[in-house]
Amino acid sequence: MKRTLIATAFATLAIPTTALADCGRVSVAEMNWASASIISKVTEFLLVQGYGCEVTLVPSATTTAITSLSENNEPDVVPELWINSAPLYTRLEAEGRVRKAADVFSDGGTENWFVPDYLIAEHPQLATIEGILANPELVGGRFHNCPDGWGCRIANDNLIIAHDFAGSGMDVFNHGSGETLAAAMATAYENREPFFGYMYGPTAVLGRYGMVAIDMGPHVPEIHDCNQTVDCATPGISAFPAAPVLTVVTADFAERNPDAFELVSNISFTSQSLSELLAWQDINSASSEETAVHFLTTQQDVWNDWVSEPAAERLSAIFR
């Protein structure tokens, strides 16, 4: 019943406001994963209701979006583009065809090794990798690794060698899927059991449970670059870097619609805030539209800073 009411509210709020000055048609990519879909729905709502745009959401994915930008100069707006998976972006930006509008994850996409907060509270030494490897029994003597096929698996396997897990008595469990990895973390937390393993963010499991990213030492680019290769001759110790995750727009869009460009340039979330939204979505079995409504109705102080004063006045009338 609750989900139905929220979906009805979103449909009502998203009716185009014909009285606004026409900002024109705007195409927005909607990537095929949860966090990106939520961001696209929020972007759509603010563009329609705050700026009077006629928005079309375009189903997409990383490769699809960057190829379309290269070949067709569309969509106008691509939220949550992980540029480390889209090397063509660098060339398009250098040619002046696309622009970075925002770091849509203000702190980047994250990769870390985690333990539960209750273990840290009881055993503060577990806040560092050195403390964990000196006391493997406190984390259950097991490291929960990425599945085969994930990029992190290569880096983790090299880090496991560099840290001499075998010499420290730390077993490694290689998960068969991302679902089982997340489930292992969730089950351990709910049962207040030991856990030590990898997770990326934003994800629902990090938004739902109090997991602490341990100190893996500094990020050393040349060491990490080697760790990311299967045949790394000298695996070394390095933390994961934050991955740049952008909202990208076409140069044409930025020039013809500076007000809308300014809006999408301001839309930015922390990885943790998106993890919390994903956790709410998971707990409530909600759609991306329902999750966007939850954000818009509970965090007006956040998005109100993204919009212009005239747009804020129009939007405030909706949320009275």
Side-chain angles (χ1 to χ4, degrees):
M1 181 65 176
K2 181 179 179 181
R3 294 195 302 273
T4 302
L5 289 173
I6 294 174
T8 301
F10 188 90
T12 301
L13 295 178
I15 295 172
T17 308
T18 56
L20 297 184
D22 183 15
C23 98
R25 296 181 179 181
V26 180
S27 55
V28 178
E30 183 177 8
M31 303 297 208
N32 59 353
W33 58 87
S35 58
S37 182
I38 293 166
I39 294 170
S40 293
K41 298 290 188 185
V42 169
T43 302
E44 175 194 25
F45 181 89
L46 296 176
L47 283 170
V48 171
Q49 293 298 330
Y51 295 79
C53 304
E54 182 181 344
V55 175
T56 300
L57 292 182
V58 181
S60 196
T62 302
T63 302
T64 307
I66 199 68
T67 301
S68 182
L69 285 171
S70 176
E71 297 179 355
N72 306 313
N73 199 40
E74 58 182 29
D76 297 310
V77 182
V78 180
E80 200 175 325
L81 183 69
W82 292 66
I83 62 170
N84 56 357
S85 299
L88 182 56
Y89 166 77
T90 303
R91 177 168 70 80
L92 296 178
E93 184 184 40
E95 293 173 353
R97 297 173 59 189
V98 301
R99 295 186 191 177
K100 169 187 170 180
D103 291 296
V104 73
F105 297 172
S106 60
D107 49 353
T110 58
E111 296 181 89
N112 288 292
W113 291 352
F114 289 90
V115 296
D117 53 7
Y118 49 81
L119 284 187
I120 298 287
E122 188 174 356
H123 306 288
Q125 66 268 37
L126 299 181
T128 70
I129 184 59
E130 293 82 7
I132 288 172
L133 294 178
N135 303 277
E137 72 284 354
L138 296 180
V139 294
R142 170 179 286 185
F143 174 73
H144 292 263
N145 201 4
C146 303
D148 282 329
W150 286 24
C152 57
R153 175 63 177 273
I154 298 170
N156 275 346
D157 285 351
N158 281 316
L159 285 167
I160 286 164
I161 295 169
H163 284 290
D164 189 19
F165 274 26
S168 298
M170 182 70 71
D171 291 333
V172 177
F173 183 81
N174 298 317
H175 280 269
S177 69
E179 289 77 15
T180 65
L181 175 59
M185 179 181 280
T187 299
Y189 198 93
E190 289 173 354
N191 294 326
R192 309 288 286 186
E193 295 172 345
F195 179 89
F196 169 47
Y198 170 93
M199 187 52 66
Y200 66 93
T203 51
V205 69
L206 292 181
R208 190 167 183 177
Y209 302 105
M211 304 302 296
V212 177
I214 68 163
D215 184 352
M216 297 176 65
H219 168 63
V220 184
E222 59 271 22
I223 292 176
H224 180 71
D225 289 346
C226 185
N227 285 346
Q228 286 187 296
T229 63
V230 174
D231 57 352
C232 176
T234 55
I237 295 173
S238 172
F240 291 94
V245 185
L246 311 182
T247 292
V248 173
V249 303
T250 65
D252 289 345
F253 168 77
E255 290 164 6
R256 76 172 183 265
N257 205 326
D259 291 340
F261 173 63
E262 182 179 13
L263 166 66
V264 299
S265 298
N266 291 335
I267 296 175
S268 181
F269 300 80
T270 64
S271 181
Q272 182 59 29
S273 66
L274 268 174
S275 290
E276 290 168 2
L277 281 176
L278 291 167
W280 184 92
Q281 182 180 38
D282 184 52
I283 292 166
N284 292 278
S285 300
S287 68
S288 57
E289 276 190 356
E290 292 166 343
T291 309
V293 169
H294 172 72
F295 169 77
L296 290 163
T297 54
T298 62
Q299 299 192 43
Q300 295 182 43
D301 57 329
V302 174
W303 59 258
N304 198 61
D305 287 340
W306 297 343
V307 301
S308 65
E309 288 187 14
E313 292 177 6
R314 296 167 191 138
L315 289 160
S316 66
I318 299 170
F319 289 92
R320 285 175 187 160

